[in-house]
């Protein structure tokens, strides 16, 4: 098992452009989480999937953000009309499911919006 | 709501010094508690965890004890090494919300040779 992977690792974009990030969780992990980490802060929860169902979204997740996990495996996070305030590290984590609270994190995608 | 407060950094110590990073939490119920570590240029890694009161988590010489009476989970190590230089995050699982993890703001630790 290679752990949680994320792609790309770095993304530089211009304000107003759309970006999409991908997360591949550890195989057979039912739960998948997205977090955002800004400089000097701890990660903050964005959204969570149980298999393919998106069950919770933080109020941090504005209408410009959308996440999917179509087959209950990999997930994508899209940001439309990016703003400079979206610049952050976007982290994905997975866990086996209920009764297993430990989450395993990927390396993150660092986004810079110019 | 649930929250985590941890000691502000940066913390700078000499090699072989004793380390304590304080962490306190506010939570309903009985969450699991974690310490995650982020080494320079790397992703978040689980360092240790404790799932119930009075449990002690330990790994790589680090220890933390789940103290419900003081709502604390302080991280300790008896003799730090240069390779321990990293950012340390105290965290808890939010049982009311799909066990999402709530993190503290992190403490940057630098160890001088």
């Amino acid at each position: 098992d290679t752990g949680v992977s994320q792609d790309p690792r770095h993304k530089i974009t211009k304000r107003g452009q759309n970006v999409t990030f991908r997360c591949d969780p550890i195989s057979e992990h039912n739960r998948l989480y997205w977090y955002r980490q800004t400089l000097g802060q701890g990660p903050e929860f964005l959204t969570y999937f149980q298999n393919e169902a998106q069950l919770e979204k933080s109020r941090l997740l504005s209408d410009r953000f959308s996440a999917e996990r179509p087959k209950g495996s990999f997930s994508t996070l899209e940001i439309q009309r990016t703003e400079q305030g979206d610049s952050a590290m976007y982290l994905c984590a997975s866990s086996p499911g209920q009764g297993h609270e430990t989450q395993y994190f990927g390396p993150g995608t660092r986004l810079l919006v110019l | 709501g649930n929250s985590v407060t941890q000691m502000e950094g940066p913390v700078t110590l000499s090699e072989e010094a004793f380390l304590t990073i304080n962490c306190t939490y506010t939570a309903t119920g009985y969450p699991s508690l974690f310490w995650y570590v982020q080494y320079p240029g790397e992703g978040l890694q689980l360092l240790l965890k404790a799932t119930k009161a009075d449990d002690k988590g330990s790994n790589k010489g680090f220890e933390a004890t789940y103290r419900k009476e003081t709502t604390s989970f302080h991280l300790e190590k008896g003799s730090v090494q240069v390779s321990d230089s990293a950012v340390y995050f105290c965290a808890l699982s939010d049982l009311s919300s799909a066990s999402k993890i709530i993190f503290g703001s992190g403490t940057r630790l630098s160890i001088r040779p």
Side-chain angles (χ1 to χ4, degrees):
Chain A
D1 195 339
T2 57
V4 179
S5 61
Q6 293 186 246
D7 183 71
R9 296 290 306 275
H10 303 272
K11 179 70 176 179
I12 300 174
T13 191
K14 294 182 179 179
R15 189 177 53 183
Q17 297 295 304
N18 299 343
V19 295
T20 300
F21 311 141
R22 177 180 170 125
C23 170
D24 286 88
I26 294 171
S27 62
E28 299 183 1
H29 275 195
N30 295 326
R31 293 188 173 184
L32 187 148
Y33 303 79
W34 286 98
Y35 293 83
R36 180 171 68 187
Q37 184 179 17
T38 54
L39 203 61
Q41 298 298 315
E44 294 176 292
F45 170 79
L46 291 178
T47 190
Y48 146 72
F49 290 85
Q50 173 80 31
N51 298 312
E52 67 276 7
Q54 187 175 17
L55 297 183
E56 187 173 345
K57 294 192 289 186
S58 162
R59 61 180 181 277
L60 292 176
L61 212 67
S62 76
D63 291 345
R64 297 184 296 105
F65 288 70
S66 62
E68 295 182 343
R69 194 183 183 196
K71 297 182 180 179
S73 56
F74 73 91
S75 176
T76 58
L77 178 68
E78 180 183 18
I79 309 175
Q80 296 183 325
R81 305 181 304 281
T82 52
E83 301 173 356
Q84 288 184 325
D86 297 332
S87 297
M89 176 76 86
Y90 291 84
L91 297 169
C92 176
S94 69
S95 74
Q98 195 166 4
H100 295 82
E101 295 170 310
T102 301
Q103 294 178 23
Y104 300 88
F105 282 79
T109 295
R110 185 171 293 283
L111 172 66
L112 177 62
V113 182
L114 300 176
Chain B
N2 296 344
S3 65
V4 175
T5 302
Q6 67 181 99
M7 180 173 160
E8 286 191 18
V11 173
T12 303
L13 296 172
S14 297
E15 203 166 22
E16 299 183 3
F18 183 86
L19 168 72
T20 299
I21 300 178
N22 290 337
C23 171
T24 57
Y25 67 91
T26 301
T28 53
Y30 303 93
S32 292
L33 302 176
F34 307 90
W35 278 99
Y36 278 85
V37 59
Q38 194 168 34
Y39 296 104
E42 299 185 16
L44 274 172
Q45 301 176 23
L46 178 66
L47 180 60
L48 54 84
K49 70 176 185 179
T51 58
K52 61 182 186 296
D54 300 325
D55 265 5
K56 177 185 285 187
S58 61
N59 186 25
K60 298 182 181 180
F62 290 89
E63 293 183 341
T65 301
Y66 191 140
R67 300 285 189 202
K68 187 155 182 65
E69 63 276 11
T70 56
T71 62
S72 64
F73 193 55
H74 304 320
L75 183 69
E76 296 182 336
K77 187 174 185 181
S79 175
V80 293
Q81 307 300 313
V82 172
S83 58
D84 294 327
S85 298
V87 182
Y88 292 81
F89 294 93
C90 185
L92 63 82
S93 63
D94 187 343
L95 300 179
S96 67
S97 180
S99 296
K100 71 183 181 191
I101 293 183
I102 296 173
F103 289 86
S105 57
T107 302
R108 181 174 298 278
L109 174 66
S110 296
I111 306 299
R112 294 187 298 251

